Amino acid sequence: MHEMALAESMLEIVEAAARKHGATRVSAVRLEIGALSHVAVDALRFCFDAVTRGSLAEGAALDIESTPGEAWCMPCGTAVPLAQVGEPCPRCGNYQLQVTRGEDMRVKDIAID
Ligand SMILES: [Zn+2]
């Protein structure tokens, strides 16, 4: 399951950051998820709850922000917004698009006690 692996790597990042700051508990985690990343948010929340059980991030609130997708259109020679991979350029209708933003997920920051 894709989301389980994501939740595990998130926990590693969160735990490393918490240790660095000498924290004993993480109360919230802020995530940025790209609109084109195919991450199922509900599944991710479920997996995060499961992997953090017994860790210092147990019970931490998961605050998820969605970042919009963006692609570079070759014919237009400019960056255009992209709602979904496989869609044409909203300006010229061409499919020669290179996704430049919105495909990844990252931990933006954490709140610690
Ligand atoms: Zn275009």
Side-chain angles (χ1 to χ4, degrees):
M1 193 179 184
H2 180 56
E3 279 74 17
M4 188 55 94
L6 283 175
E8 279 168 357
S9 59
M10 266 167 60
L11 178 61
E12 274 173 37
I13 294 167
V14 168
E15 281 188 318
R19 268 197 297 271
K20 207 168 104 185
H21 292 96
T24 52
R25 222 185 80 77
V26 174
S27 54
V29 176
R30 188 134 46 116
L31 273 187
E32 274 185 353
I33 298 183
L36 312 176
S37 67
H38 302 291
V39 173
V41 171
D42 287 346
L44 184 66
R45 283 185 187 280
F46 177 81
C47 294
F48 184 76
D49 281 348
V51 300
T52 53
R53 212 161 287 150
S55 79
L56 78 185
E58 181 168 359
L62 204 51
D63 190 3
I64 296 175
E65 287 175 19
S66 178
T67 52
E70 201 180 83
W72 181 264
C73 176
M74 303 286 261
C76 291
T78 186
V80 293
L82 187 67
Q84 228 175 326
V85 174
E87 282 194 354
C89 170
R91 287 168 64 122
C92 69
N94 210 290
Y95 285 89
Q96 283 171 271
L97 297 174
Q98 196 139 39
V99 176
T100 50
R101 239 181 55 185
E103 280 188 309
D104 35 325
M105 185 197 91
R106 70 185 191 100
V107 176
K108 196 176 179 192
D109 53 33
I110 63 172
I112 52 180
D113 289 342

